[in-house]
Structure formats: structure tokens, C-alpha cells
Amino acid sequence: ALSGVFFLALLQPFLEGNMVWPDISLIPLVLSAFYLLLNKKYFWSGFFIALACLVKQTALLYIVYGLPAIAYGVRRWQAGILYYLSGILVVFSPFVLWLLKNNSFLDFINWTIVYPSKYWTGFPGYVNALPSKHEILIIFLLISPSLFLVIKSKLKYFDANSKLIFLMVVVGAIGTYPRFSFFHFQPALVFIVILTACLVSSHKKAFLITLLYFAVLFVYISKPVLAYDWNKPARFYSTSDLQLADKIRKNSQGGDKIFLLGLPSSLYVLSDRLPPKPWIDNFGWYFEIPNVQQDMLKRWEDESPKVIFMSDPNPGNWFDLGTYRPKEVLNYIQAYYTRMVEIESGIWMW
């Protein structure tokens, strides 16, 4: 177990795990839920998996996983499922009541379920679910020790718990949809390491070989990352980002609402400024939902941004990140605002 934790700690930074991202935040909650499920603490398992769903809605996959997992492992499975669902309701009920009180329930359903399934998947470039050949090779190399031990033992060590862990790997991999990246793959990575550690613990002779294998695998994974990223600043927190945030702060008042178009949303935080509500990030699959631009502009009539900072679009397809500009929002800005000063090359204050 300690060896598994050690290699996970080594691998994570080189597989995009050293960042602030919802999938990373899922890990302690999903692990807690899974541990409690194995120990038949179904109420608390449901409680923690519901918390994970509030972090990122793809965790609903784990709720679906939990139901047959309970039915598979318990004679009185109906009672187990009832406890599990009760834990989920304890978390979801106050959250839903809060949404209803603030007239936000329909917005929540639209933005988490309806829009992603109905509109976003049809936007060019949104779905990129297939990993590259190099990423597929890394995933295969990560899971290979477990596959080898299962085949070699003729399924002898592939017990009920190992099967449940393997299914968690599958659920975690499905959760990377619609865009594969290793930072989306982190929950699956954790369970790959757990599965390998469990199988190795049942196959003592394989311990040293597996240890050596993962040492070589670590070198293979880390070497190109170190060559490319070593000594580079943190993304969205570089010196140039901080300097741009300072310019935004100096060209706006503390209490004023601002709007950033074509710029990273992290600059709101770095500049200590807020956008008007409803705020929509600079992604085409958000803005191209029917009536979203019109609704935002209508609300601007009550609370419009005092200052807008907009970058020149990058060359590329109209839907590319950095190139896309919401047409109606852009027309509104050009009609009601005046381009005043270039605060940085290619970035204008309106």
C-alpha cells in the first residue's frame, strides 16, 4: 500500500495531476465513498459520493456504479440501497431547496444536464474524447501489471474487491468524456494504482518486479515532461499574467463590474474584480446555446460592466479557443462602448 501511495505521488505531477481542477477534488471524496462502500457503511458512502457530485456532475456515474455494487455484495441489498440513497438525499435535499429558493433550479438543470447533452456536443471541437497514441500507450503501460497478474493467476487473485476496483477504473475512464486529458483521468489513475497494489499484495513474488517496472515507467513518463516544462512558470499564474492583472486593476475601480472577452477568467481573481451576473466564460459552446447571448445582454441593462477588456482574436477557425467571439455580444460592445487604450499588445480597454 505504501509503495502504491509513493508511486502515485511520483506519477501525478507528470500526468497533469498538479493543478487545481474539479477532477482532482473528486479523488478524496470518491475514495472515501468507495472505502465506506467496501465496509458496508452505505449511508456515508452515499453521503460522500453526493458531495462529489456537487463538485463535478460526472460523479453521477459513481452513484450509478454504487447501486449494483451494493446489490452484488449484500444479501439484504434492498436495505443497503435504501441507506445509500438516504445518504445522497441528505446532501442533495438542502442543495435543491437552496436552488429553488434562489430561483436557480432550472438554470442548474440546464447548465449541468440539458445544455451539455443537447448543445455542447454539437459545437465544433468540443468533443475530443479519444486519447492520442502516446496517451493510449501510457494508459496501457499503467494497467499492464494488473492485467499480467490477473492472467498469470488465471483469475485466482481477481476477487470481488478487485473486480469492484477495476470497475471504478472503468467509471473513472468514462468520466473523462467529452475531452480526454490526464487531469480528467486522475480518479481512474488512483484506482489503477490501488488495483495494482492489491494484486501485488496477493502475489508476493511479483512485488520487486512490479517495483522495478514502475520505476522504469516513471522515467519514461517524466522524462519528456521535464524536458518540455522544466523551469516554466505555472500556467495562468506567470509573471506576464500577474502584470496584466495589475494593469486591469489600475484601469478599473474596485467596486466596478468588468467583463473580459478573449482573456483567461483567472484574471478576474488576480485583478480582484468581478463580472456582472450572469457571468459566462469565453467558450463558444456556452455562448452558442440559443438565447444565451440575448439573455446575458438583457441582464446587462440592469447591471452592465463599467469597463471591458478584450483581446484581438488569434488566427484560426471561428470556433477555436482564442479566436471565437460571440457575435451578438461583440456587436453590443462595439455599439455601446468605445475602444479607449491598448493596455498591452493586442489587449484593449473599452
Side-chain angles (χ1 to χ4, degrees):
L2 289 176
S3 299
V5 172
F6 175 72
F7 274 108
L8 178 64
L10 283 179
L11 287 171
Q12 266 193 316
F14 298 98
L15 292 174
E16 304 176 2
N18 58 333
M19 63 173 69
V20 179
W21 201 263
D23 300 82
I24 313 298
S25 303
L26 286 181
I27 292 172
L29 298 172
V30 171
L31 278 176
S32 299
F34 182 72
Y35 174 79
L36 291 162
L37 187 145
L38 290 181
N39 287 275
K40 297 180 170 54
K41 306 292 184 181
Y42 299 124
F43 174 87
W44 289 108
S45 179
F47 181 88
F48 277 98
I49 208 65
L51 290 178
C53 289
L54 297 186
V55 172
K56 190 177 182 184
Q57 284 67 59
T58 53
L60 287 168
L61 292 167
Y62 294 103
I63 290 181
V64 176
Y65 160 88
L67 297 174
I70 293 170
Y72 173 76
V74 182
R75 288 184 180 179
R76 297 180 58 192
W77 59 269
Q78 296 93 336
I81 288 177
L82 184 61
Y83 282 120
Y84 183 69
L85 294 177
S86 298
I88 294 170
L89 286 174
V90 165
V91 175
F92 280 1
S93 296
F95 177 67
V96 171
L97 289 174
W98 182 85
L99 289 174
L100 291 171
K101 180 182 177 182
N102 290 275
N103 296 317
S104 299
F105 181 75
L106 185 59
D107 285 338
F108 179 79
I109 296 298
N110 282 335
W111 283 96
T112 57
I113 300 175
V114 178
Y115 293 164
S117 59
K118 186 176 181 179
Y119 297 111
W120 297 0
T121 52
F123 188 84
Y126 177 73
V127 176
N128 187 19
L130 294 178
S132 67
K133 292 180 180 179
H134 179 67
E135 290 168 336
I136 292 173
L137 176 60
I138 290 177
I139 294 170
F140 175 75
L141 293 174
L142 286 168
I143 200 71
S144 286
S146 296
L147 294 175
F148 175 78
L149 291 172
V150 168
I151 294 170
K152 183 175 174 56
S153 67
K154 298 180 180 179
L155 303 181
K156 179 181 177 182
Y157 299 119
F158 200 51
D159 58 13
N161 285 348
S162 296
K163 291 174 184 176
L164 290 175
I165 296 169
F166 175 75
L167 288 175
M168 289 293 280
V169 174
V170 174
V171 173
I174 294 172
T176 63
Y177 183 85
R179 293 182 303 283
F180 180 88
S181 289
F182 273 115
F183 57 82
H184 291 311
F185 191 73
Q186 290 300 311
L189 174 63
V190 169
F191 283 99
I192 287 175
V193 173
I194 292 173
L195 178 62
T196 304
C198 288
L199 291 172
V200 169
S201 67
S202 302
H203 202 291
K204 304 293 185 183
K205 294 180 181 179
F207 177 74
L208 289 177
I209 297 174
T210 306
L211 204 65
L212 179 61
Y213 175 87
F214 270 99
V216 174
L217 180 59
F218 169 72
V219 173
Y220 173 76
I221 291 173
S222 63
K223 187 176 179 181
V225 177
L226 288 171
Y228 183 78
D229 287 334
W230 187 254
N231 280 335
K232 288 187 177 179
R235 190 182 181 193
F236 302 126
Y237 200 73
S238 64
T239 301
S240 60
D241 291 320
L242 296 174
Q243 290 173 346
L244 177 55
D246 187 57
K247 292 174 184 176
I248 291 173
R249 185 166 49 248
K250 289 178 178 177
N251 284 281
S252 58
Q253 300 299 317
D256 292 344
K257 303 296 185 185
I258 70 168
F259 184 69
L260 306 177
L261 186 57
L263 296 169
S265 55
S266 57
L267 291 169
Y268 286 115
V269 178
L270 298 178
S271 63
D272 194 27
R273 297 292 183 265
L274 289 173
K277 295 180 181 179
W279 171 68
I280 300 173
D281 209 349
N282 286 238
F283 297 120
W285 49 85
Y286 295 163
F287 276 114
E288 293 303 313
I289 297 169
N291 300 319
V292 162
Q293 294 184 54
Q294 297 93 318
D295 182 57
M296 188 182 82
L297 294 175
K298 184 177 180 180
R299 298 198 199 184
W300 276 15
E301 294 174 4
D302 298 322
E303 186 184 35
S304 60
K306 297 292 183 182
V307 184
I308 292 173
F309 298 94
M310 180 165 55
S311 66
D312 293 334
N314 297 329
N317 298 311
W318 69 271
F319 52 82
D320 289 341
L321 294 177
T323 303
Y324 173 79
R325 295 292 181 270
K327 186 176 180 180
E328 292 184 48
V329 174
L330 184 61
N331 290 341
Y332 182 95
I333 293 171
Q334 292 172 340
Y336 293 99
Y337 291 81
T338 302
R339 191 165 75 169
M340 298 171 63
V341 63
E342 191 176 27
I343 64 169
E344 193 172 283
S345 178
I347 298 174
W348 296 85
M349 172 181 169
W350 291 69

